[in-house]
Amino acid sequence: MDKGRVITFLAVSAITAGVVGISANDAQSLGGFISFLTVFITTVAIFAIFALGLNVQWGYTGIFNFGIVAFFMVGAYTSALLTKEPSSSQYVRYVGGLNLAEGLGPLGLDGLTGFVLGALAAAVVSGLVAFLIAIPALRLREDYLAIATIGVAEVFRRIAIEEEGLVNGTRGLTGIPRPLHDLVSPPDYKYVYLAIAVVILFLIFIAIERSARSPWGRVLKAIREDELTTAASGKNIFSFRTQAFVLGAMIMGIGGAVYSANQGAIVPDTFSHFFGTFIIWAMLMVGGSGSNRGAILGAYVVWGFWTVTGLVQPHLPEALEARTSYIRDLLIGLLIIVVLLLRPNGLMGEERRVSLFMRRETNREARRVGAPTRSPEE
Amino acid sequence: MVQAVTSAVARVARIRQDYPQIADAIGGASLWVLFGVLLVVSVIDARQYLVTGIIVGSIIALGAIGITLIYGVLKFAHFAHGDMMMFGAYVALFALVGGGRIGPLSFGWGMIFAIFVAMAVLGVGSIAIDRVVYRPLRQRGSSSVVLAIASLGVAIVLRAIMLLWWGPDQQLYVSGIHPAREFPFDIKLKPDHIFIVATALVLMALVYLLLFRTKMGKAMRAMSDNADLARVAGIDTELVFMWTWVIGGALAAVAGILLGIQSNLKPELGFILLLPLFASAILGGLGSPQGALVGAMIVGISQEVVVGIDLPFPPFGVPGYKPAVAFGILILILLVRPRGLFGRT
């Protein structure tokens, strides 16, 4: 085994051992242990959706988005406003409230139809926002897009707070409908939602794996590697970059929808730069930019690391306990820097498969002879 | 109707592509007219906000000059700059000993000492960060985008150190009420505000002298114009990088401290500060220090005046929308004149 695989193996097993070991030690019963792991995996799946969206933007195309939280937020609010019932109190004010979760009668399938429609709408609105930012910012330099996305994230948060009638201001939205909630008793609902989140993650994974290996995906990688040559081959760079940015944002919007139905309640402060943007960047960098499996693995490792450090917290001396969460912030930042310096390909590295129509071996051959693609870090 | 609009947009885009110089000139002229109108309106109707805008603008300018220098010389967008400002402000809080007051100001000589300490810490600290993080990446030939992401990592680390050491709550240098004084034309100002503007002006004059009257400044400008040519001419690039970090870091420290004097200190503010900082630098033209100063004044004044003028629709009259104003300026400049007011084409 080469060094990279050893490190990957060690990282994954250390995280798994930590999460399983400490939660087993802390849990009062087997049920408590299993339910802890269920919530953990559901959260990983949701973060993995965001990391996949970022991979389409940064890993494939080299667009950098420092405002992931903006699309996260748009998706979460859009699906919540569509699935929720209209407000019945003068103290709770929000627009929409189409009641897609309950109002569809037999077609509603216990809220599932409404949830799917809400997630699709989240993708559409999120993609539209991305398109509107792309027009001024993506035509120019990459850095301009990064600033513009930071700006959008901040402006959306302010709008959510200031326009009280829009999404109920700082008090936020509660009682966001959950799909298939009548299937099992409320304490067991988390297993249902785990399945929903994993299925959505899987569908998105399959979709972008296929698109990455299509001619479309190869153009994106070509743009990342050499913009001028790609333009000289007659590809409209701006159009392809916009498509990748919009697609990534749509995936993030779906992630927001899955998040809001899982939480059941959202407030503007939920959407912090740290959890909405920074940690997702850490996940993709750790897992390996350009690799979809890497994005998912990164989400697992980073959230596992976050969970383990959270579990250790109560066992620490008091002076240290209060500050543990900031030490975690510090380590997330260091993780990004260390990965960039020491392992620019992350744990997985980019898969060097060229086409859907070539068998794996041929692709491996291609890598040996002269790899057609490089990771964005090189 | 829709078709008419889209074809009109397409026609405008076409004209812009075919006659770039004309589009650029029209864009620049319309921006000047817009900001001119804003200035006239604020002189007539919102003088207090105009003055606050100048104070805020001079603080932003110190940060934006650093961003524009780093962008020009090191060729990447430094996303840790806002957190560096805040970090400088907290270092000064740490170094601030002894009360006392200088004349009518709210703080004593301890603050002047603290400013120098923070400048030194951030200047040296920036070089250290460059050695550990950016230089290895640079030597590997990483693209500017990778350096920018590394700076995001640095920003997270700086933010975490502030949270760890000073906690998440907002802090003040000197507590207590410091009354404002009446000036002609219905303007109220605190002596601290005059200190802020004066300090910023002195520092900007020093930066001007450094850039245009010393050999190192000449080297920095040469690097900014054409890095390869500068290298061929025998300029020690690593030394120029070092000086750029010292200047950028020290200016960021002072900017953060002045911001702390004007309002308060909070670790969260650092990342959000990037928006007005970059809006100013891009508005002035990335790489142009004079441009950054003008851009910062425009952004600072617009932010304060727009939320000060009470019109019945957003963002007017709502203080929470200050970042939205900076964002609006950013998008406007990217649309009508991407090179900025004073940038090169």
Side-chain angles (χ1 to χ4, degrees):
Chain A
M1 281 210 285
D2 63 308
K3 200 172 132 209
R5 281 173 180 234
V6 175
I7 293 177
T8 309
F9 179 75
L10 286 179
V12 172
S13 24
I15 291 295
T16 310
V19 171
V20 171
I22 300 177
S23 62
N25 180 45
D26 287 358
Q28 309 292 330
S29 63
L30 183 65
F33 172 60
I34 291 176
S35 96
F36 179 85
L37 287 186
T38 309
V39 174
F40 171 71
I41 302 288
T42 311
T43 315
V44 169
I46 295 171
F47 271 119
I49 295 175
F50 292 120
L52 284 179
L54 184 63
N55 193 31
V56 173
Q57 296 178 340
W58 164 247
Y60 288 171
T61 328
I63 301 169
F64 68 128
N65 174 355
F66 281 173
I68 300 168
V69 66
F71 306 104
F72 174 10
M73 186 174 177
V74 166
Y77 274 115
T78 304
S79 68
L81 291 175
L82 287 181
T83 49
K84 258 175 86 68
E85 77 286 5
S87 169
S88 53
S89 153
Q90 55 168 323
Y91 301 108
V92 183
R93 291 185 301 150
Y94 50 87
V95 295
L98 294 188
N99 201 11
L100 287 182
E102 306 291 335
L104 293 175
L107 275 179
L109 300 174
D110 193 11
L112 190 63
T113 317
F115 174 72
V116 172
L117 289 176
L120 291 178
V124 170
V125 177
S126 199
L128 194 69
V129 170
F131 182 66
L132 291 177
I133 306 169
I135 293 174
L138 202 53
R139 206 181 277 275
L140 305 157
R141 305 180 42 104
E142 301 94 340
D143 348 36
Y144 288 180
L145 186 84
I147 315 282
T149 47
I150 294 176
V152 174
E154 191 53 30
V155 170
F156 280 179
R157 210 170 63 83
R158 297 297 173 113
I159 291 175
I161 293 170
E162 298 288 347
E163 303 299 317
E164 294 227 334
L166 193 65
V167 289
N168 202 27
T170 45
R171 280 158 296 162
L173 301 175
T174 52
I176 297 164
R178 305 172 135 196
L180 300 178
H181 60 279
D182 288 339
L183 212 60
V184 291
S185 63
D188 290 336
Y189 180 75
K190 50 185 169 293
Y191 306 115
V192 176
Y193 206 81
L194 170 68
I196 293 175
V198 169
V199 166
I200 292 175
L201 172 64
F202 184 70
L203 290 177
I204 292 174
F205 174 75
I206 296 291
I208 58 175
E209 274 284 284
R210 285 194 76 94
S211 61
R213 287 164 187 174
S214 68
W216 182 80
R218 286 197 291 280
V219 174
L220 294 188
K221 288 190 185 178
I223 291 174
R224 191 190 71 197
E225 298 306 320
D226 192 337
E227 218 174 287
L228 278 180
T229 314
T230 320
S233 328
K235 305 293 178 199
N236 183 342
I237 305 286
F238 173 63
S239 164
F240 274 96
R241 282 161 64 96
T242 307
Q243 288 169 32
F245 182 55
V246 170
L247 179 66
M250 289 173 82
I251 294 170
M252 292 167 187
I254 295 176
V258 178
Y259 177 88
S260 69
N262 182 45
Q263 294 293 309
I266 45 176
V267 292
D269 279 347
T270 312
F271 305 97
S272 65
H273 290 291
F274 191 86
F275 283 105
T277 303
F278 299 165
I279 206 167
I280 295 162
W281 268 100
M283 286 167 178
L284 185 62
M285 302 308 286
V286 167
S289 316
S291 157
N292 292 320
R293 278 180 228 186
I296 296 172
L297 187 77
Y300 176 76
V301 170
V302 171
W303 192 250
F305 164 77
W306 192 265
T307 311
V308 169
T309 43
L311 288 171
V312 170
Q313 199 170 349
H315 302 284
L316 293 175
E318 205 173 321
L320 210 56
E321 190 193 334
R323 285 157 193 249
T324 315
S325 67
Y326 305 132
I327 297 176
R328 297 199 285 183
D329 289 18
L330 184 76
L331 291 171
I332 293 286
L334 284 178
L335 211 54
I336 294 182
I337 297 171
V338 168
V339 168
L340 276 176
L341 285 175
L342 302 182
R343 295 203 67 77
N345 289 324
L347 290 176
M348 285 294 241
E350 182 169 350
E351 225 182 314
R352 298 178 195 267
R353 228 179 133 187
V354 184
S355 167
L356 269 182
F357 304 111
M358 284 165 97
R359 279 182 301 123
R360 233 162 228 281
E361 296 85 87
T362 331
N363 280 293
R364 208 163 286 150
E365 189 73 11
R367 165 167 39 167
R368 214 164 44 76
V369 175
T373 51
R374 294 182 296 154
S375 81
E377 278 72 37
E378 281 166 19
Chain B
M1 175 66 192
V2 175
Q3 208 164 24
V5 171
T6 44
S7 74
V9 169
R11 202 171 301 148
V12 170
R14 197 62 208 240
I15 294 171
R16 264 186 64 170
Q17 221 159 29
D18 291 349
Y19 306 99
Q21 279 102 347
I22 297 176
D24 189 66
I26 294 176
S30 46
L31 282 174
W32 280 118
V33 169
L34 181 72
F35 298 132
V37 169
L38 189 85
L39 192 67
V40 171
V41 169
S42 53
V43 167
I44 297 169
D45 199 40
R47 277 185 293 272
Q48 183 64 52
Y49 294 105
L50 176 67
V51 171
T52 314
I54 292 171
I55 297 163
V56 173
S58 50
I59 296 171
I60 299 174
L62 293 179
I65 290 172
I67 281 192
T68 222
L69 282 178
I70 293 170
Y71 196 93
V73 174
L74 289 122
K75 314 284 180 218
F76 76 96
H78 185 229
F79 286 98
H81 215 75
D83 288 285
M84 227 151 100
M85 269 174 70
M86 264 302 124
F87 200 83
Y90 275 104
V91 170
L93 182 71
F94 179 75
L96 182 60
V97 280
R101 303 177 91 177
I102 312 171
L105 297 173
S106 70
F107 46 81
W109 289 102
M111 182 57 108
I112 308 296
F113 171 73
I115 291 177
F116 282 108
V117 171
M119 284 172 83
V121 169
L122 268 277
V124 175
S126 305
I127 298 178
I129 294 172
D130 184 67
R131 286 287 147 91
V132 178
V133 181
Y134 303 122
R135 191 160 79 169
L137 290 172
R138 207 156 56 219
Q139 282 168 347
R140 201 194 289 163
S142 299
S143 68
S144 67
V145 192
V146 172
L147 285 159
I149 289 173
S151 75
L152 178 75
V154 172
I156 299 172
V157 169
L158 288 177
R159 184 172 178 272
I161 295 173
M162 288 186 273
L163 286 166
L164 205 57
W165 200 322
W166 291 284
D169 301 322
Q170 68 177 44
Q171 301 208 32
L172 293 168
Y173 285 123
V174 185
S175 52
I177 299 162
H178 311 287
R181 303 183 177 200
E182 303 272 351
F183 282 81
F185 304 107
D186 307 326
I187 294 166
K188 283 181 188 158
L189 271 182
K190 293 179 187 173
D192 286 6
H193 292 151
I194 295 164
F195 173 82
I196 291 172
V197 176
T199 310
L201 282 178
V202 168
L203 279 171
M204 281 184 267
L206 285 177
V207 171
Y208 174 83
L209 288 179
L210 195 142
L211 280 176
F212 291 90
R213 293 283 182 273
T214 66
K215 210 160 182 192
M216 181 46 69
K218 205 171 182 178
M220 283 170 70
R221 286 184 293 133
M223 289 282 293
S224 178
D225 278 340
N226 189 328
D228 291 333
L229 215 55
R231 206 167 288 133
V232 171
I235 289 174
D236 181 353
T237 50
E238 283 298 327
L239 192 69
V240 176
F241 290 152
M242 219 177 82
W243 273 98
T244 309
W245 281 118
V246 170
I247 296 167
L251 287 181
V254 181
I257 297 167
L258 296 182
L259 187 70
I261 294 175
Q262 197 239 348
S263 54
N264 52 51
L265 294 83
K266 207 175 173 191
E268 299 281 319
L269 283 180
F271 196 68
I272 300 166
L273 272 172
L274 287 176
L275 192 54
L277 290 179
F278 272 99
S280 309
I282 295 174
L283 176 58
L286 273 172
S288 153
Q290 310 95 303
L293 168 62
V294 177
M297 281 300 164
I298 294 176
V299 170
I301 292 171
S302 310
Q303 272 191 359
E304 298 298 326
V305 170
V306 166
V307 302
I309 296 174
D310 207 1
L311 293 178
F313 51 90
F316 293 97
V318 184
Y321 281 145
K322 280 180 197 174
V325 177
F327 178 69
I329 294 176
L330 176 73
I331 294 298
L332 192 68
I333 190 87
L334 294 185
L335 280 174
V336 306
R337 191 156 147 131
R339 73 182 171 98
L341 291 173
F342 302 100
R344 285 184 299 271
T345 34

